[in-house]
Amino acid sequence: MSTSERTALVTGANRGIGRAVAAELLGRGLQVLLSARRFDDAREAALELGAGARPLALDVTDEDSVKRAAAEAGPVDVLVCNAGVLLDAGTDPLSVPLELVEQTLRVNLLGTWRVLQAFVPPMVARGHGSVTVVSSGTTAEFGGRLFGRTPGYSLSKSGLNGLTTLVAEQTAGTGVTVNAVNPGRVRTRMMPTQEQLPEQAARFVADVALLPTDGPTGQFLTEHRSR
Ligand SMILES: NC(=O)c1ccc[n+]([C@@H]2O[C@H](COP(=O)([O-])OP(=O)(O)OC[C@H]3O[C@@H](n4cnc5c(N)ncnc54)[C@H](OP(=O)(O)O)[C@@H]3O)[C@@H](O)[C@H]2O)c1
């Protein structure tokens, strides 16, 4: 399938990394569904990106919103699960308010999970698709170093890496790949003092999203600058 025949959907694409990924995929010739919690934000960003970008309302925490988006989107070939929040910066595991952790898990882990449940089965049915989950360098395996100053966020992203391996195992051999990416630290509203621009991170995320579907799956791929 040629690039111009493929449709990508990016969650949380109204700003930050998501918006830059949408622009990058558009630049590489794909049709892009630019989704955001609020339709007006999606429409504004899609208008700015120009022809080939179509706005879509999609709140990852809202079951009805995700189902409506899946129905309106039509076939999606490339899914980038980017929407996320960082709410507990500067806390620690023994005193972080658990409401913050709960809200973080609701968006980052369960929200992404909900999107995967809505969009991956149709990809499997069509026999092809690429899913990229935007994770983070705050994650770690046992024996590694989980970043403790954003405890809820770090665990939500570790959960996403685990979820990526589970879904990849289930889609193995179907033509659908599922990978997680660490985009490195990026200057956005979430991390305003970082050096790397969203456009740089977006090139890496798009490279992963456009890997051939007989390529890697169930992997956690890291932008080399963040190693
Ligand atoms: N910046 C970094 O250094 C960095 C590093 C590693 C990973 N990441 C990850 O990269 C992703 C994008 O982050 P960013 O840095 O671009 O942050 P950002 O500028 O704060 O953007 C976050 C995006 O997620 C959206 N979002 C939040 N809750 C949502 C929901 N319930 N439904 C749909 N969209 C929702 C936001 O929409 P609204 O505008 O409506 O709030 C916004 O579009 C996140 O998953 C983040 O964890 C970032």
Side-chain angles (χ1 to χ4, degrees):
M1 196 182 228
S2 76
T3 318
S4 62
E5 290 167 327
R6 278 192 277 175
T7 297
L9 187 152
V10 184
T11 65
N14 52 308
R15 60 186 166 94
I17 297 171
R19 184 197 155 103
V21 170
E24 181 68 26
L25 292 172
L26 204 57
R28 297 192 194 192
L30 283 84
Q31 303 291 311
V32 176
L33 288 159
L34 194 153
S35 79
R37 272 198 292 181
R38 289 172 294 268
F39 182 75
D40 285 353
D41 291 345
R43 185 174 50 195
E44 198 179 318
L47 276 174
E48 281 169 16
L49 293 191
R54 189 152 59 95
L56 189 68
L58 193 164
D59 180 338
V60 301
T61 62
D62 179 340
E63 185 77 27
D64 289 342
S65 168
V66 174
K67 281 190 176 148
R68 245 190 332 267
E72 280 173 26
V76 171
D77 307 293
V78 174
L79 173 66
V80 179
C81 294
N82 163 80
V85 291
L86 168 57
L87 304 174
D88 60 352
T91 64
D92 67 70
L94 293 182
S95 65
V96 61
L98 290 181
E99 312 84 70
L100 291 186
V101 175
E102 203 171 340
Q103 177 60 12
T104 304
L105 293 172
R106 198 175 296 137
V107 177
N108 295 5
L109 180 57
L110 296 178
T112 303
W113 203 330
R114 181 173 290 111
V115 170
L116 295 178
Q117 288 190 341
F119 286 91
V120 173
M123 286 178 163
V124 170
R126 290 167 57 235
H128 79 97
S130 145
V131 179
T132 304
V133 172
V134 179
S135 181
S136 152
T138 58
T139 60
E141 308 299 330
F142 282 102
R145 190 172 170 277
L146 197 63
F147 185 62
R149 293 294 168 184
T150 55
Y153 180 82
S154 300
L155 285 168
S156 75
K157 295 295 189 176
S158 298
L160 271 187
N161 287 3
L163 179 62
T164 298
T165 65
L166 291 178
V167 178
E169 201 174 300
Q170 199 175 342
T171 62
T174 66
V176 178
T177 57
V178 188
N179 291 297
V181 287
N182 170 13
R185 295 187 187 139
V186 189
R187 194 190 307 162
T188 63
R189 207 180 293 176
M190 186 180 283
M191 298 280 275
T193 61
Q194 300 301 324
E195 238 178 66
Q196 187 186 191
L197 296 175
E199 292 72 22
Q200 291 172 281
R203 284 196 282 278
F204 171 66
V205 177
D207 285 347
V208 172
L210 298 181
L211 282 170
T213 50
D214 59 356
T217 189
Q219 302 296 308
F220 177 42
L221 303 166
T222 294
E223 195 344 304
H224 69 274
R225 271 186 295 264
S226 64
R227 278 181 191 152

